Amino acid sequence: MMADLIAWVLVIAVAAYACAGGTDYGAGFWDLLAGGAERGRRPRWLIDHAMAPVWETNNVWLIFVLVIMWTGFPTMFQAVFTALWLPLVLAAVGLVLRGAGFALRKPTRRLAQRRLYGAMFAVSSLLTPFFLAASLGGVVSGRVAVGTTASADAWANPTSVVAGLLAVAAAAFLGAVFLCSDARRFGADDLIGYFRLRALFAFAAVVVLALIGLPVTHDDARYVWDGLTRGWGLLLVVLAAVCGLATVLFLLRRSYGLTRYTSVASVALIVGAWGLAQRPYLLPTSLTVAQGAGASDTLRWLAIVTVIAVVVVGPALVLLYRLSTMGELEPLTDADTGAARTPGDNL
């Protein structure tokens, strides 16, 4: 019972990171595609100001995921990091370079250095979610088990590739939706249509990749496929699709008030569907939750610490996210919003 509870805490933490961290990765994706120094000036100003208050906080969720894995399910932790050490190292390097690039780009005055740091931030925002999701694809497809040695097949397989591309597309969707609302809050009217159009394109990419992934997961990750196409797993997938379509509808109607919530719900529900589809396994189909769980006393203390964290840290995180989405922490200045307009659409 306690092991199942901690397993669901892990799934919730993964969902939180997929939504919070995914939004930041998506902003970095659009930073990469914003264009040259002059053309990309306006979008990058918005990205800098929208991300600045929360980008470090969002990585707390990843740390929480690692702590739960290491403490609560040490057998799974060892198996995953043994078989998938290379993509996980690449993801970790991407995290470091991404943070350094974002932190150093703003105060740097020289254009060449700004471009270097900006490239570090943007490229890492693309590669990090890809490698993290590719690692998850190796687990989902059953290629990771206790005793599995590291190999390219563990993460460079059809399921991993589709999962990595889906993660990038979903992050781009979240990032564009949030930036669209940020542009509206900050009064950057010319960027509302700019990011609105990109959110619609990103959702289309998610749909195409999901359709491509159907036959791939059917053949390559059959256990999880069965869980996603029946029972509660299927229900959450349907709800995720409804939330995604609702986000598109709100964007088309230029009604941005609920788009953040519906887009986040669509990603969180997909993560929840994965958790339901994979049960009772940590590593399909070789290691169950009960088999991979740590000592009962350890799990009990982990549950207590989790409750304390929710009570003590939870309200602060909610307040931080609330103030950030309301634009209270670091609003754009008149000089920022008066910068040269970016060529693009005004839809």
Side-chain angles (χ1 to χ4, degrees), residues 62-268:
L62 179 59
I63 296 172
F64 190 46
V65 169
L66 295 176
V67 170
I68 294 293
M69 284 181 60
W70 183 15
T71 308
F73 306 102
T75 304
M76 178 185 69
F77 185 90
Q78 181 182 19
V80 168
F81 276 79
T82 298
L84 300 170
W85 69 267
L86 180 56
L88 291 174
V89 165
L90 292 174
V93 170
L95 280 170
V96 173
L97 293 179
R98 181 176 181 274
F102 184 75
L104 295 174
R105 177 173 67 175
K106 182 179 289 187
T108 301
R109 299 301 179 186
R110 294 183 180 180
L111 180 59
Q113 290 182 340
R114 286 179 63 87
R115 285 176 172 171
L116 174 62
Y117 294 138
M120 287 169 51
F121 163 67
V123 173
S124 296
S125 296
L126 177 67
L127 296 180
T128 300
F130 177 85
F131 284 121
L132 288 175
S135 300
L136 181 60
V139 172
V140 168
S141 62
R143 287 178 168 84
V144 177
V146 177
T148 300
T149 57
S151 68
D153 182 63
W155 60 277
N157 57 76
T159 300
S160 291
V161 172
V162 171
L165 294 176
L166 265 173
V168 172
F173 174 59
L174 284 174
V177 168
F178 273 63
L179 287 168
C180 189
S181 296
D182 288 329
R184 180 169 172 263
R185 288 189 298 104
F186 290 141
D189 295 338
D190 57 308
L191 292 179
I192 297 176
Y194 178 91
F195 283 111
R196 172 177 168 269
L197 184 61
R198 282 152 180 78
L200 295 174
F201 278 129
F203 182 78
V206 170
V207 172
V208 170
L209 288 168
L211 292 175
I212 293 173
L214 291 176
V216 171
T217 53
H218 178 271
D219 297 334
D220 199 48
R222 188 55 185 264
Y223 185 86
V224 173
W225 160 270
D226 289 339
L228 291 173
T229 53
R230 65 180 65 169
W232 288 102
L234 177 60
L235 176 61
L236 263 62
V237 169
V238 172
L239 290 175
V242 170
C243 289
L245 291 173
T247 305
V248 170
L249 178 61
F250 290 141
L251 290 171
L252 291 174
R253 292 172 60 88
R254 296 174 172 82
S255 178
Y256 305 108
L258 295 176
T259 54
R260 291 178 185 268
Y261 302 104
T262 54
S263 61
V264 165
S266 65
V267 173

Side-chain angles (χ1 to χ4, degrees), residues 23-46:
T23 301
D24 281 354
Y25 292 133
F29 177 85
W30 297 119
D31 189 290
L32 179 66
L33 300 184
E38 188 60 31
R39 184 176 185 274
R41 182 182 179 188
R42 288 277 285 162
R44 291 189 178 106
W45 268 114
L46 181 62

